[in-house]
Amino acid sequence: VRGGAASTSAIGTVAQIWATRDARAAHAWVLGQPSSTARDVALQAILTMVARGAKPDAALLAHFSTEQARQSALQAAAGGIAQRSKDDAHQFIAANVADREQRERLLALVDQIATSMRSRAALMPPSAFSQGTATQLLFGPGSALAIGIEERAPAGSRADR
């Protein structure tokens, strides 16, 4: 993986989108790249995307080129998990963060994220929870997964044929 900041960003975006379609293939491709900042960005993108919908592969944490990149990915993955389950985020942090101060800091962060998600959901009327709205609530407008879901036509509609 070569290139500057734009290339690094593009690689992260590709890995994130790929992870929504085939996380195993994305993992394999990224781990086959030489250790670098670009690979770290791609690994973090995969961990974060997978964490939002399923249990991320914590073994990927061992493949970051620096401790700072690993810590950043840990925080991003824990935040992604917290968007769907505060308890799962707490378990992920307990299993992967040895330093007590850092663990407490991350636990407080995921508690804030979980509270924020509940507050957002409480503000939205039940009729607002169409597929696209719920996706944007969880993943944010413009995210790769939100775009992929929002562009799908409902089954049986003219666009679906």
Side-chain angles (χ1 to χ4, degrees):
V1 177
R2 295 183 193 144
S7 176
T8 297
S9 177
I11 289 166
T13 300
V14 167
Q16 182 180 31
I17 293 168
W18 194 355
T20 65
R21 291 173 174 82
D22 188 347
R24 288 181 192 255
H27 287 167
W29 177 78
V30 169
L31 292 177
Q33 302 303 309
S35 182
S36 66
T37 301
R39 186 175 90 165
D40 289 345
V41 167
L43 281 171
Q44 180 169 331
I46 291 170
L47 272 169
T48 304
M49 183 53 67
V50 170
R52 290 175 176 162
K55 183 178 179 181
D57 182 358
L60 290 177
L61 293 169
H63 296 281
F64 284 89
S65 64
T66 67
E67 183 60 21
Q68 182 180 0
R70 181 185 178 281
Q71 295 303 322
S72 177
L74 242 167
Q75 181 173 329
I81 297 167
Q83 290 180 13
R84 63 177 171 77
S85 170
K86 181 173 95 170
D87 292 338
D88 288 352
H90 279 231
Q91 289 174 3
F92 178 78
I93 292 166
N96 294 291
V97 180
D99 181 73
R100 187 180 62 78
E101 287 181 27
Q102 182 188 10
R103 187 173 49 249
E104 289 175 5
R105 202 170 31 254
L106 283 176
L107 290 171
L109 175 68
V110 300
D111 289 347
Q112 289 175 345
I113 291 169
T115 299
S116 173
M117 294 305 292
R118 282 193 307 270
S119 297
R120 286 171 143 183
L123 293 173
M124 297 182 80
S127 62
F129 284 96
S130 67
Q131 189 175 28
T133 303
T135 302
Q136 285 198 18
L137 173 69
L138 292 174
F139 300 100
S143 76
L145 188 57
I147 291 168
I149 290 174
E150 289 168 11
E151 290 176 351
R152 264 191 234 139
S157 71
R158 289 179 147 219
D160 186 45
R161 295 181 191 150

